[in-house]
Amino acid sequence: MDLEEAYQIYMACQSMLIILVGAVPEYHIEPVTGRLDDDITQSVKFTEDVSSIVTEWYLFKHEAYKVNLAGSLFFAGLLIGNVLFGPLSDKIGRKPVFLTGLFFEVLFGYGTALAPSYEIFALSRLLVGMMNGGMALVCFVLTQEYVGKSYWAMTGTLTNMTFAVGITLFAALGYYVRPWRNLATAANCPGLLLFLLCVTLPESPRWLYSRGHTEKAEDILQDFAMRNGKGRILVKLRRTISTSAPKGSSPGVFQLVTHPILRWRTVVLMYVWYSCSLVYYGLTLSAGEDKGNRYLSVAMYGLVELPAYPLCMYFINRQWAGRRKSMSNFLAFAGISCLLTMFVPESGSLLSATSLALVGKLMVSAAFNIVYVYTSELYPTVIRNAGLGVCSMSCRVGGILAPFVPSMKSLHTSMPFMVFCLSGISAACLGLLLPETLNKPAAETLDELSSPTYQRILQPQVHLLEENHLIDHKGTDSD
């Protein structure tokens, strides 16, 4: 669990870097007389002492879009990393993919701090995003597979909580380290330390077991038992269901399309992940545009997440709430909070647009935390990383669009919150189509997922749509 917590702090620093590194100071433009080009030559006068890529490369007016573009390129990199690293770690293992990606992420992170031009800076953010996206996914799955399923909700919640702590720590770091190049260097240093600490990590025993390496999985579990103070105990794993894929194929991304149960789960989950990301990052990135102390604003958007995680721990483990209803309700409340911002003053009172936006951030943080845990329980072990990769890929599409949503205020002040409102409420409705996984066993293979025994276990919560497609899969109806 320490692995994922440390990586979440590092990931938060990289994800939020553009808020402070791309800060736009107060300025005014004075015409310069003496010569005429296609445009009148102008001079920018800063009224605020800020070091950022905006002040170094003069990203104002028609160049201002480049700040949001750099943020979007980071999220585009996350998308590419999800596509590449998720299936790859299912095939060759969690550990080698994690360590390789983390090494290059740290390397490209220092490239950000040393970039001599905007173009190199933007390229480095794309490459850091690629490594970050793949590593976040692999690290989450690896951490979940180190522990039993009964601990997945707790470990997922605690590790996601550290992302919020990471945002707050990054705001504090930015307050004390003002030059943007120094800030980018300091924010990248935790990644180097994390890499050195992770070299001796064991492979996922669940992955080894699902690939038929039973003896290696037993050795690792015995080592875990000793580290937990259980002494030397004999661990013997027994395979009860064949892990072989359909003849002529192996579990991979293609199975998410062809398998009738996984197909509909994936479609719904992709939209839920997209909406969570759009609302979460859209609200967070808008912190840099709030009037007042930008460091305090960034810290507040991090701290407001912390109450979300105890709420998650309480609701998702209650039989009357579970994963499905909790996720949908939190998304709905996030959408409603964003809707209400259009009917209150922007600031200056307790009930203001800023305070409601913070409530919306709290609600969507809770939903985002649940969807990580929920998705990992909905996919079998042999395809879990691929499933999380595809869902996380759609999540990154939301992240790519998120930096541009706050700028929609130029069309109408309430436009960004209308987008967040519609996204949250629509995702809440679709989330109710998924089956409940609370107190249900996690499937290890595709065969087990489709078996009548496993479906009877899920039957009380399986939605009618999924039941119909299971019948298709059995051959009662034709696709």
Side-chain angles (χ1 to χ4, degrees), residues 353-372:
T354 301
S355 60
L356 285 173
L358 288 171
V359 172
K361 176 69 187 301
L362 186 152
M363 293 293 112
V364 77
S365 299
F368 216 161
N369 174 66
I370 294 171
V371 78
Y372 265 94

Side-chain angles (χ1 to χ4, degrees), residues 233-269:
I233 60 175
L234 182 63
V235 177
K236 297 298 292 182
L237 299 175
R238 181 169 58 90
R239 189 173 302 282
T240 57
I241 297 180
S242 172
T243 58
S244 61
K247 188 175 181 179
S249 66
S250 60
V253 177
F254 189 63
Q255 293 288 342
L256 300 177
V257 178
T258 58
H259 197 285
I261 296 176
L262 293 179
R263 178 168 60 240
W264 293 107
R265 286 186 187 181
T266 302
V267 169
V268 173
L269 285 169

Side-chain angles (χ1 to χ4, degrees), residues 71-185:
S72 290
L73 285 173
F74 175 82
F75 287 102
L78 294 181
L79 187 155
I80 298 170
N82 291 153
V83 174
L84 294 178
F85 290 100
L88 189 62
S89 69
D90 278 337
K91 292 184 180 296
I92 68 175
R94 318 308 198 202
K95 179 182 175 180
V97 174
F98 173 73
L99 290 178
T100 303
L102 181 57
F103 172 80
F104 283 104
E105 181 178 357
V106 173
L107 187 65
F108 296 140
Y110 286 118
T112 294
L114 300 173
S117 65
Y118 170 80
E119 288 73 22
I120 300 299
F121 174 86
L123 177 62
S124 71
R125 298 316 296 160
L126 175 67
L127 295 174
V128 169
M130 284 178 59
M131 300 300 110
N132 194 296
M135 295 311 93
L137 177 66
V138 176
C139 185
F140 177 79
V141 172
L142 183 60
T143 304
Q144 295 290 74
E145 292 179 350
Y146 277 158
V147 299
K149 183 179 180 293
S150 60
Y151 292 97
W152 284 6
M154 182 182 70
T155 56
T157 297
L158 292 177
T159 53
N160 284 337
M161 185 186 296
T162 57
F163 188 88
V165 174
I167 294 175
T168 306
L169 292 176
F170 174 69
L173 181 66
Y175 179 80
Y176 290 104
V177 184
R178 297 297 178 92
W180 77 265
R181 291 185 184 275
N182 294 347
L183 176 59
T185 301

Side-chain angles (χ1 to χ4, degrees), residues 20-338:
L20 299 183
V21 165
V24 181
E26 295 291 335
Y27 71 96
H28 64 273
I29 299 177
E30 299 177 347
V32 176
T33 59
R35 72 184 185 91
L36 293 175
D37 293 311
D38 294 336
D39 298 316
I40 297 176
T41 305
Q42 296 175 320
S43 176
V44 177
K45 299 294 184 182
F46 301 111
T47 58
E48 184 182 1
D49 184 18
V50 172
S51 171
S52 69
I53 61 172
V54 175
T55 59
E56 180 165 335
W57 294 314
Y58 290 88
L59 304 181
F60 300 101
K61 300 192 75 173
H62 63 282
E63 297 284 317
Y65 76 93
K66 290 184 176 180
V67 178
N68 290 334
L69 178 61
S72 290
L73 285 173
F74 175 82
F75 287 102
L78 294 181
L79 187 155
I80 298 170
N82 291 153
V83 174
L84 294 178
F85 290 100
L88 189 62
S89 69
D90 278 337
K91 292 184 180 296
I92 68 175
R94 318 308 198 202
K95 179 182 175 180
V97 174
F98 173 73
L99 290 178
T100 303
L102 181 57
F103 172 80
F104 283 104
E105 181 178 357
V106 173
L107 187 65
F108 296 140
Y110 286 118
T112 294
L114 300 173
S117 65
Y118 170 80
E119 288 73 22
I120 300 299
F121 174 86
L123 177 62
S124 71
R125 298 316 296 160
L126 175 67
L127 295 174
V128 169
M130 284 178 59
M131 300 300 110
N132 194 296
M135 295 311 93
L137 177 66
V138 176
C139 185
F140 177 79
V141 172
L142 183 60
T143 304
Q144 295 290 74
E145 292 179 350
Y146 277 158
V147 299
K149 183 179 180 293
S150 60
Y151 292 97
W152 284 6
M154 182 182 70
T155 56
T157 297
L158 292 177
T159 53
N160 284 337
M161 185 186 296
T162 57
F163 188 88
V165 174
I167 294 175
T168 306
L169 292 176
F170 174 69
L173 181 66
Y175 179 80
Y176 290 104
V177 184
R178 297 297 178 92
W180 77 265
R181 291 185 184 275
N182 294 347
L183 176 59
T185 301
N188 197 52
C189 288
L192 178 60
L193 179 61
L194 180 63
F195 175 79
L196 297 176
L197 294 174
C198 290
V199 172
T200 59
L201 282 176
E203 181 56 271
S204 162
R206 279 183 175 268
W207 180 83
L208 290 170
Y209 177 71
S210 70
R211 305 296 289 189
H213 303 296
T214 306
E215 292 182 359
K216 292 181 180 179
E218 291 170 349
D219 291 339
I220 292 173
L221 290 174
Q222 287 173 346
D223 183 61
F224 285 175
M226 290 189 64
R227 290 173 182 266
N228 289 331
K230 303 295 184 181
R232 293 193 62 85
I233 60 175
L234 182 63
V235 177
K236 297 298 292 182
L237 299 175
R238 181 169 58 90
R239 189 173 302 282
T240 57
I241 297 180
S242 172
T243 58
S244 61
K247 188 175 181 179
S249 66
S250 60
V253 177
F254 189 63
Q255 293 288 342
L256 300 177
V257 178
T258 58
H259 197 285
I261 296 176
L262 293 179
R263 178 168 60 240
W264 293 107
R265 286 186 187 181
T266 302
V267 169
V268 173
L269 285 169
M270 285 179 69
Y271 184 75
V272 172
W273 279 68
Y274 159 81
S275 299
C276 285
S277 178
L278 181 69
V279 179
Y280 179 91
Y281 287 109
L283 289 173
T284 306
L285 295 174
S286 66
E289 299 188 3
D290 287 350
K291 295 179 180 179
N293 190 318
R294 65 171 56 89
Y295 304 101
L296 179 61
S297 295
V298 173
M300 285 298 297
Y301 274 88
L303 289 173
V304 77
E305 291 186 39
L306 297 181
Y309 301 107
L311 287 174
C312 288
M313 291 292 291
Y314 178 79
F315 284 108
I316 65 177
N317 290 312
R318 294 295 180 272
Q319 195 66 44
W320 47 268
R323 276 69 156 145
R324 181 174 63 109
K325 291 179 182 178
S326 298
M327 181 189 72
S328 294
N329 280 315
F330 280 125
L331 278 170
F333 284 129
I336 292 170
S337 297
C338 291

